[in-house]
PDB file of all heavy atoms in Angstrom:
ATOM      1  N   VAL A   1       0.862  -1.170  -0.005  1.00  0.00           N
ATOM      2  CA  VAL A   1      -0.003   0.005   0.012  1.00  0.00           C
ATOM      3  C   VAL A   1       0.907   1.220  -0.006  1.00  0.00           C
ATOM      4  O   VAL A   1       1.757   1.375   0.892  1.00  0.00           O
ATOM      5  CB  VAL A   1      -0.935   0.004   1.225  1.00  0.00           C
ATOM      6  CG1 VAL A   1      -1.769   1.262   1.247  1.00  0.00           C
ATOM      7  CG2 VAL A   1      -1.812  -1.246   1.256  1.00  0.00           C
ATOM      8  N   VAL A   2       0.704   2.101  -0.969  1.00  0.00           N
ATOM      9  CA  VAL A   2       1.571   3.256  -1.165  1.00  0.00           C
ATOM     10  C   VAL A   2       0.766   4.526  -0.867  1.00  0.00           C
ATOM     11  O   VAL A   2      -0.194   4.856  -1.584  1.00  0.00           O
ATOM     12  CB  VAL A   2       2.139   3.312  -2.588  1.00  0.00           C
ATOM     13  CG1 VAL A   2       3.121   4.494  -2.734  1.00  0.00           C
ATOM     14  CG2 VAL A   2       2.784   1.999  -2.950  1.00  0.00           C
ATOM     15  N   GLU A   3       1.178   5.231   0.154  1.00  0.00           N
ATOM     16  CA  GLU A   3       0.510   6.472   0.567  1.00  0.00           C
ATOM     17  C   GLU A   3       1.239   7.699   0.003  1.00  0.00           C
ATOM     18  O   GLU A   3       2.358   7.606  -0.494  1.00  0.00           O
ATOM     19  CB  GLU A   3       0.447   6.559   2.085  1.00  0.00           C
ATOM     20  CG  GLU A   3      -0.310   5.387   2.740  1.00  0.00           C
ATOM     21  CD  GLU A   3      -0.302   5.485   4.245  1.00  0.00           C
ATOM     22  OE1 GLU A   3       0.737   5.117   4.841  1.00  0.00           O
ATOM     23  OE2 GLU A   3      -1.308   5.927   4.818  1.00  0.00           O
ATOM     24  N   HIS A   4       0.563   8.854   0.112  1.00  0.00           N
ATOM     25  CA  HIS A   4       1.113  10.161  -0.217  1.00  0.00           C
ATOM     26  C   HIS A   4       1.441  10.282  -1.708  1.00  0.00           C
ATOM     27  O   HIS A   4       2.421  10.938  -2.071  1.00  0.00           O
ATOM     28  CB  HIS A   4       2.365  10.437   0.613  1.00  0.00           C
ATOM     29  CG  HIS A   4       2.091  10.466   2.079  1.00  0.00           C
ATOM     30  ND1 HIS A   4       3.096  10.523   3.026  1.00  0.00           N
ATOM     31  CD2 HIS A   4       0.930  10.447   2.799  1.00  0.00           C
ATOM     32  CE1 HIS A   4       2.589  10.507   4.226  1.00  0.00           C
ATOM     33  NE2 HIS A   4       1.240  10.475   4.114  1.00  0.00           N
ATOM     34  N   LEU A   5       0.635   9.672  -2.575  1.00  0.00           N
ATOM     35  CA  LEU A   5       0.789   9.894  -4.001  1.00  0.00           C
ATOM     36  C   LEU A   5       0.112  11.205  -4.360  1.00  0.00           C
ATOM     37  O   LEU A   5      -1.034  11.456  -3.936  1.00  0.00           O
ATOM     38  CB  LEU A   5       0.155   8.722  -4.781  1.00  0.00           C
ATOM     39  CG  LEU A   5       0.265   8.755  -6.289  1.00  0.00           C
ATOM     40  CD1 LEU A   5       1.725   8.779  -6.739  1.00  0.00           C
ATOM     41  CD2 LEU A   5      -0.438   7.538  -6.916  1.00  0.00           C
ATOM     42  N   ALA A   6       0.833  12.043  -5.073  1.00  0.00           N
ATOM     43  CA  ALA A   6       0.290  13.377  -5.381  1.00  0.00           C
ATOM     44  C   ALA A   6      -1.046  13.303  -6.105  1.00  0.00           C
ATOM     45  O   ALA A   6      -1.362  12.325  -6.763  1.00  0.00           O
ATOM     46  CB  ALA A   6       1.311  14.110  -6.264  1.00  0.00           C
ATOM     47  N   GLY A   7      -1.847  14.383  -5.972  1.00  0.00           N
ATOM     48  CA  GLY A   7      -3.137  14.444  -6.613  1.00  0.00           C
ATOM     49  C   GLY A   7      -4.238  13.724  -5.874  1.00  0.00           C
ATOM     50  O   GLY A   7      -5.155  13.218  -6.509  1.00  0.00           O
ATOM     51  N   ASP A   8      -4.114  13.652  -4.525  1.00  0.00           N
ATOM     52  CA  ASP A   8      -5.109  13.002  -3.704  1.00  0.00           C
ATOM     53  C   ASP A   8      -5.356  11.559  -4.166  1.00  0.00           C
ATOM     54  O   ASP A   8      -6.476  11.142  -4.449  1.00  0.00           O
ATOM     55  CB  ASP A   8      -6.437  13.786  -3.737  1.00  0.00           C
ATOM     56  CG  ASP A   8      -7.450  13.245  -2.707  1.00  0.00           C
ATOM     57  OD1 ASP A   8      -7.009  12.715  -1.702  1.00  0.00           O
ATOM     58  OD2 ASP A   8      -8.659  13.383  -2.960  1.00  0.00           O
ATOM     59  N   ARG A   9      -4.270  10.811  -4.250  1.00  0.00           N
ATOM     60  CA  ARG A   9      -4.327   9.412  -4.707  1.00  0.00           C
ATOM     61  C   ARG A   9      -3.432   8.551  -3.827  1.00  0.00           C
ATOM     62  O   ARG A   9      -2.555   9.038  -3.113  1.00  0.00           O
ATOM     63  CB  ARG A   9      -3.851   9.297  -6.158  1.00  0.00           C
ATOM     64  CG  ARG A   9      -4.715  10.048  -7.188  1.00  0.00           C
ATOM     65  CD  ARG A   9      -4.046  10.066  -8.552  1.00  0.00           C
ATOM     66  NE  ARG A   9      -2.728  10.674  -8.502  1.00  0.00           N
ATOM     67  CZ  ARG A   9      -1.802  10.525  -9.461  1.00  0.00           C
ATOM     68  NH1 ARG A   9      -2.033   9.787 -10.521  1.00  0.00           N
ATOM     69  NH2 ARG A   9      -0.640  11.131  -9.346  1.00  0.00           N
ATOM     70  N   TRP A  10      -3.656   7.240  -3.897  1.00  0.00           N
ATOM     71  CA  TRP A  10      -2.746   6.257  -3.328  1.00  0.00           C
ATOM     72  C   TRP A  10      -2.642   5.105  -4.307  1.00  0.00           C
ATOM     73  O   TRP A  10      -3.280   5.103  -5.352  1.00  0.00           O
ATOM     74  CB  TRP A  10      -3.247   5.778  -1.947  1.00  0.00           C
ATOM     75  CG  TRP A  10      -4.607   5.153  -1.919  1.00  0.00           C
ATOM     76  CD1 TRP A  10      -5.818   5.779  -2.029  1.00  0.00           C
ATOM     77  CD2 TRP A  10      -4.900   3.758  -1.754  1.00  0.00           C
ATOM     78  NE1 TRP A  10      -6.817   4.865  -1.954  1.00  0.00           N
ATOM     79  CE2 TRP A  10      -6.326   3.613  -1.756  1.00  0.00           C
ATOM     80  CE3 TRP A  10      -4.131   2.605  -1.530  1.00  0.00           C
ATOM     81  CZ2 TRP A  10      -6.955   2.383  -1.593  1.00  0.00           C
ATOM     82  CZ3 TRP A  10      -4.780   1.377  -1.378  1.00  0.00           C
ATOM     83  CH2 TRP A  10      -6.132   1.276  -1.412  1.00  0.00           C
ATOM     84  N   ALA A  11      -1.759   4.177  -4.028  1.00  0.00           N
ATOM     85  CA  ALA A  11      -1.507   3.097  -4.970  1.00  0.00           C
ATOM     86  C   ALA A  11      -1.434   1.765  -4.230  1.00  0.00           C
ATOM     87  O   ALA A  11      -1.157   1.696  -3.043  1.00  0.00           O
ATOM     88  CB  ALA A  11      -0.207   3.346  -5.738  1.00  0.00           C
ATOM     89  N   LEU A  12      -1.753   0.719  -4.971  1.00  0.00           N
ATOM     90  CA  LEU A  12      -1.667  -0.640  -4.462  1.00  0.00           C
ATOM     91  C   LEU A  12      -0.829  -1.461  -5.447  1.00  0.00           C
ATOM     92  O   LEU A  12      -1.197  -1.596  -6.620  1.00  0.00           O
ATOM     93  CB  LEU A  12      -3.038  -1.260  -4.293  1.00  0.00           C
ATOM     94  CG  LEU A  12      -3.086  -2.742  -3.822  1.00  0.00           C
ATOM     95  CD1 LEU A  12      -2.498  -2.868  -2.423  1.00  0.00           C
ATOM     96  CD2 LEU A  12      -4.508  -3.264  -3.870  1.00  0.00           C
ATOM     97  N   ILE A  13       0.328  -1.936  -4.987  1.00  0.00           N
ATOM     98  CA  ILE A  13       1.177  -2.774  -5.818  1.00  0.00           C
ATOM     99  C   ILE A  13       0.972  -4.220  -5.422  1.00  0.00           C
ATOM    100  O   ILE A  13       1.148  -4.589  -4.258  1.00  0.00           O
ATOM    101  CB  ILE A  13       2.670  -2.401  -5.642  1.00  0.00           C
ATOM    102  CG1 ILE A  13       2.915  -0.924  -5.927  1.00  0.00           C
ATOM    103  CG2 ILE A  13       3.555  -3.258  -6.533  1.00  0.00           C
ATOM    104  CD1 ILE A  13       4.323  -0.461  -5.607  1.00  0.00           C
ATOM    105  N   VAL A  14       0.525  -5.045  -6.351  1.00  0.00           N
ATOM    106  CA  VAL A  14       0.316  -6.469  -6.121  1.00  0.00           C
ATOM    107  C   VAL A  14       1.326  -7.245  -6.915  1.00  0.00           C
ATOM    108  O   VAL A  14       1.397  -7.109  -8.145  1.00  0.00           O
ATOM    109  CB  VAL A  14      -1.119  -6.886  -6.476  1.00  0.00           C
ATOM    110  CG1 VAL A  14      -1.325  -8.386  -6.261  1.00  0.00           C
ATOM    111  CG2 VAL A  14      -2.137  -6.113  -5.655  1.00  0.00           C
ATOM    112  N   ARG A  15       2.119  -8.085  -6.251  1.00  0.00           N
ATOM    113  CA  ARG A  15       3.100  -8.936  -6.928  1.00  0.00           C
ATOM    114  C   ARG A  15       2.851 -10.402  -6.567  1.00  0.00           C
ATOM    115  O   ARG A  15       2.505 -10.705  -5.434  1.00  0.00           O
ATOM    116  CB  ARG A  15       4.518  -8.552  -6.498  1.00  0.00           C
ATOM    117  CG  ARG A  15       5.078  -7.306  -7.103  1.00  0.00           C
ATOM    118  CD  ARG A  15       6.589  -7.273  -6.928  1.00  0.00           C
ATOM    119  NE  ARG A  15       6.980  -7.470  -5.554  1.00  0.00           N
ATOM    120  CZ  ARG A  15       8.051  -8.182  -5.149  1.00  0.00           C
ATOM    121  NH1 ARG A  15       8.806  -8.808  -6.060  1.00  0.00           N
ATOM    122  NH2 ARG A  15       8.357  -8.313  -3.893  1.00  0.00           N
ATOM    123  N   ALA A  16       3.107 -11.254  -7.531  1.00  0.00           N
ATOM    124  CA  ALA A  16       3.026 -12.700  -7.300  1.00  0.00           C
ATOM    125  C   ALA A  16       4.109 -13.362  -8.154  1.00  0.00           C
ATOM    126  O   ALA A  16       4.435 -12.866  -9.237  1.00  0.00           O
ATOM    127  CB  ALA A  16       1.667 -13.269  -7.623  1.00  0.00           C
ATOM    128  N   HIS A  17       4.633 -14.454  -7.677  1.00  0.00           N
ATOM    129  CA  HIS A  17       5.704 -15.145  -8.405  1.00  0.00           C
ATOM    130  C   HIS A  17       5.154 -15.758  -9.685  1.00  0.00           C
ATOM    131  O   HIS A  17       3.996 -16.173  -9.776  1.00  0.00           O
ATOM    132  CB  HIS A  17       6.319 -16.244  -7.547  1.00  0.00           C
ATOM    133  CG  HIS A  17       7.654 -16.731  -8.034  1.00  0.00           C
ATOM    134  ND1 HIS A  17       7.791 -17.681  -8.993  1.00  0.00           N
ATOM    135  CD2 HIS A  17       8.891 -16.346  -7.654  1.00  0.00           C
ATOM    136  CE1 HIS A  17       9.080 -17.876  -9.214  1.00  0.00           C
ATOM    137  NE2 HIS A  17       9.764 -17.070  -8.436  1.00  0.00           N
ATOM    138  N   HIS A  18       6.007 -15.803 -10.727  1.00  0.00           N
ATOM    139  CA  HIS A  18       5.605 -16.335 -12.011  1.00  0.00           C
ATOM    140  C   HIS A  18       5.238 -17.811 -11.932  1.00  0.00           C
ATOM    141  O   HIS A  18       4.521 -18.318 -12.804  1.00  0.00           O
ATOM    142  CB  HIS A  18       6.723 -16.131 -13.052  1.00  0.00           C
ATOM    143  CG  HIS A  18       6.224 -15.871 -14.438  1.00  0.00           C
ATOM    144  ND1 HIS A  18       5.047 -16.411 -14.896  1.00  0.00           N
ATOM    145  CD2 HIS A  18       6.759 -15.157 -15.455  1.00  0.00           C
ATOM    146  CE1 HIS A  18       4.843 -16.010 -16.156  1.00  0.00           C
ATOM    147  NE2 HIS A  18       5.855 -15.256 -16.512  1.00  0.00           N
ATOM    148  N   SER A  19       5.679 -18.504 -10.904  1.00  0.00           N
ATOM    149  CA  SER A  19       5.270 -19.887 -10.713  1.00  0.00           C
ATOM    150  C   SER A  19       3.799 -19.996 -10.288  1.00  0.00           C
ATOM    151  O   SER A  19       3.166 -21.021 -10.412  1.00  0.00           O
ATOM    152  CB  SER A  19       6.151 -20.592  -9.692  1.00  0.00           C
ATOM    153  OG  SER A  19       6.037 -19.961  -8.408  1.00  0.00           O
ATOM    154  N   LEU A  20       3.246 -18.884  -9.773  1.00  0.00           N
ATOM    155  CA  LEU A  20       1.882 -18.854  -9.303  1.00  0.00           C
ATOM    156  C   LEU A  20       0.916 -18.276 -10.317  1.00  0.00           C
ATOM    157  O   LEU A  20      -0.236 -18.697 -10.428  1.00  0.00           O
ATOM    158  CB  LEU A  20       1.824 -18.010  -7.989  1.00  0.00           C
ATOM    159  CG  LEU A  20       0.457 -17.816  -7.334  1.00  0.00           C
ATOM    160  CD1 LEU A  20      -0.124 -19.130  -6.867  1.00  0.00           C
ATOM    161  CD2 LEU A  20       0.596 -16.847  -6.142  1.00  0.00           C
ATOM    162  N   VAL A  21       1.363 -17.310 -11.096  1.00  0.00           N
ATOM    163  CA  VAL A  21       0.502 -16.627 -12.050  1.00  0.00           C
ATOM    164  C   VAL A  21       1.233 -16.336 -13.360  1.00  0.00           C
ATOM    165  O   VAL A  21       2.452 -16.239 -13.403  1.00  0.00           O
ATOM    166  CB  VAL A  21      -0.039 -15.291 -11.482  1.00  0.00           C
ATOM    167  CG1 VAL A  21      -0.888 -15.510 -10.259  1.00  0.00           C
ATOM    168  CG2 VAL A  21       1.091 -14.332 -11.201  1.00  0.00           C
ATOM    169  N   ASP A  22       0.427 -16.224 -14.428  1.00  0.00           N
ATOM    170  CA  ASP A  22       0.917 -15.588 -15.638  1.00  0.00           C
ATOM    171  C   ASP A  22       0.254 -14.215 -15.760  1.00  0.00           C
ATOM    172  O   ASP A  22      -0.341 -13.743 -14.788  1.00  0.00           O
ATOM    173  CB  ASP A  22       0.626 -16.492 -16.882  1.00  0.00           C
ATOM    174  CG  ASP A  22      -0.863 -16.803 -17.044  1.00  0.00           C
ATOM    175  OD1 ASP A  22      -1.709 -16.057 -16.480  1.00  0.00           O
ATOM    176  OD2 ASP A  22      -1.181 -17.796 -17.732  1.00  0.00           O
ATOM    177  N   GLY A  23       0.370 -13.585 -16.921  1.00  0.00           N
ATOM    178  CA  GLY A  23      -0.164 -12.220 -17.034  1.00  0.00           C
ATOM    179  C   GLY A  23      -1.652 -12.143 -16.784  1.00  0.00           C
ATOM    180  O   GLY A  23      -2.121 -11.263 -16.061  1.00  0.00           O
ATOM    181  N   VAL A  24      -2.431 -13.065 -17.384  1.00  0.00           N
ATOM    182  CA  VAL A  24      -3.875 -13.013 -17.265  1.00  0.00           C
ATOM    183  C   VAL A  24      -4.290 -13.347 -15.815  1.00  0.00           C
ATOM    184  O   VAL A  24      -5.102 -12.634 -15.225  1.00  0.00           O
ATOM    185  CB  VAL A  24      -4.526 -13.982 -18.253  1.00  0.00           C
ATOM    186  CG1 VAL A  24      -6.041 -14.049 -18.027  1.00  0.00           C
ATOM    187  CG2 VAL A  24      -4.223 -13.542 -19.691  1.00  0.00           C
ATOM    188  N   SER A  25      -3.788 -14.446 -15.258  1.00  0.00           N
ATOM    189  CA  SER A  25      -4.188 -14.799 -13.909  1.00  0.00           C
ATOM    190  C   SER A  25      -3.631 -13.789 -12.878  1.00  0.00           C
ATOM    191  O   SER A  25      -4.230 -13.631 -11.795  1.00  0.00           O
ATOM    192  CB  SER A  25      -3.730 -16.219 -13.571  1.00  0.00           C
ATOM    193  OG  SER A  25      -2.327 -16.357 -13.703  1.00  0.00           O
ATOM    194  N   GLY A  26      -2.557 -13.121 -13.208  1.00  0.00           N
ATOM    195  CA  GLY A  26      -2.026 -12.093 -12.305  1.00  0.00           C
ATOM    196  C   GLY A  26      -2.971 -10.931 -12.189  1.00  0.00           C
ATOM    197  O   GLY A  26      -3.201 -10.402 -11.082  1.00  0.00           O
ATOM    198  N   ILE A  27      -3.571 -10.520 -13.301  1.00  0.00           N
ATOM    199  CA  ILE A  27      -4.553  -9.427 -13.256  1.00  0.00           C
ATOM    200  C   ILE A  27      -5.803  -9.893 -12.543  1.00  0.00           C
ATOM    201  O   ILE A  27      -6.477  -9.141 -11.797  1.00  0.00           O
ATOM    202  CB  ILE A  27      -4.858  -8.927 -14.688  1.00  0.00           C
ATOM    203  CG1 ILE A  27      -3.629  -8.314 -15.296  1.00  0.00           C
ATOM    204  CG2 ILE A  27      -6.009  -7.940 -14.667  1.00  0.00           C
ATOM    205  CD1 ILE A  27      -3.044  -7.166 -14.495  1.00  0.00           C
ATOM    206  N   SER A  28      -6.161 -11.179 -12.756  1.00  0.00           N
ATOM    207  CA  SER A  28      -7.318 -11.709 -12.011  1.00  0.00           C
ATOM    208  C   SER A  28      -7.087 -11.711 -10.509  1.00  0.00           C
ATOM    209  O   SER A  28      -8.019 -11.471  -9.725  1.00  0.00           O
ATOM    210  CB  SER A  28      -7.648 -13.129 -12.486  1.00  0.00           C
ATOM    211  OG  SER A  28      -8.002 -13.132 -13.866  1.00  0.00           O
ATOM    212  N   LEU A  29      -5.816 -11.931 -10.109  1.00  0.00           N
ATOM    213  CA  LEU A  29      -5.480 -11.880  -8.686  1.00  0.00           C
ATOM    214  C   LEU A  29      -5.698 -10.464  -8.163  1.00  0.00           C
ATOM    215  O   LEU A  29      -6.302 -10.283  -7.081  1.00  0.00           O
ATOM    216  CB  LEU A  29      -4.025 -12.302  -8.472  1.00  0.00           C
ATOM    217  CG  LEU A  29      -3.482 -12.163  -7.059  1.00  0.00           C
ATOM    218  CD1 LEU A  29      -4.275 -13.040  -6.086  1.00  0.00           C
ATOM    219  CD2 LEU A  29      -1.992 -12.519  -7.020  1.00  0.00           C
ATOM    220  N   LEU A  30      -5.234  -9.452  -8.904  1.00  0.00           N
ATOM    221  CA  LEU A  30      -5.469  -8.091  -8.465  1.00  0.00           C
ATOM    222  C   LEU A  30      -6.973  -7.783  -8.394  1.00  0.00           C
ATOM    223  O   LEU A  30      -7.437  -7.149  -7.444  1.00  0.00           O
ATOM    224  CB  LEU A  30      -4.781  -7.115  -9.406  1.00  0.00           C
ATOM    225  CG  LEU A  30      -4.874  -5.648  -9.009  1.00  0.00           C
ATOM    226  CD1 LEU A  30      -3.583  -4.894  -9.318  1.00  0.00           C
ATOM    227  CD2 LEU A  30      -6.017  -4.931  -9.704  1.00  0.00           C
ATOM    228  N   GLU A  31      -7.717  -8.230  -9.386  1.00  0.00           N
ATOM    229  CA  GLU A  31      -9.187  -8.024  -9.354  1.00  0.00           C
ATOM    230  C   GLU A  31      -9.804  -8.658  -8.116  1.00  0.00           C
ATOM    231  O   GLU A  31     -10.753  -8.084  -7.549  1.00  0.00           O
ATOM    232  CB  GLU A  31      -9.810  -8.628 -10.591  1.00  0.00           C
ATOM    233  CG  GLU A  31      -9.667  -7.825 -11.872  1.00  0.00           C
ATOM    234  CD  GLU A  31     -10.523  -8.398 -12.980  1.00  0.00           C
ATOM    235  OE1 GLU A  31     -11.728  -8.178 -13.005  1.00  0.00           O
ATOM    236  OE2 GLU A  31      -9.986  -9.143 -13.833  1.00  0.00           O
TER     237      GLU A  31
END
């Protein structure tokens, strides 16, 4: 969880190992 992003925003970085997800399933994980 990333706080203090300019413009009244914050960010969420989601990472998973490539053994667990590929590109499509990685986005599904974030969803």
Side-chain angles (χ1 to χ4, degrees):
V1 178
V2 184
E3 301 178 281
H4 299 169
L5 182 59
D8 189 29
R9 298 172 300 164
W10 59 286
L12 177 63
I13 304 174
V14 178
R15 283 196 308 140
H17 198 275
H18 214 329
S19 61
L20 178 64
V21 297
D22 57 21
V24 174
S25 58
I27 295 303
S28 297
L29 174 62
L30 183 143
E31 283 189 79

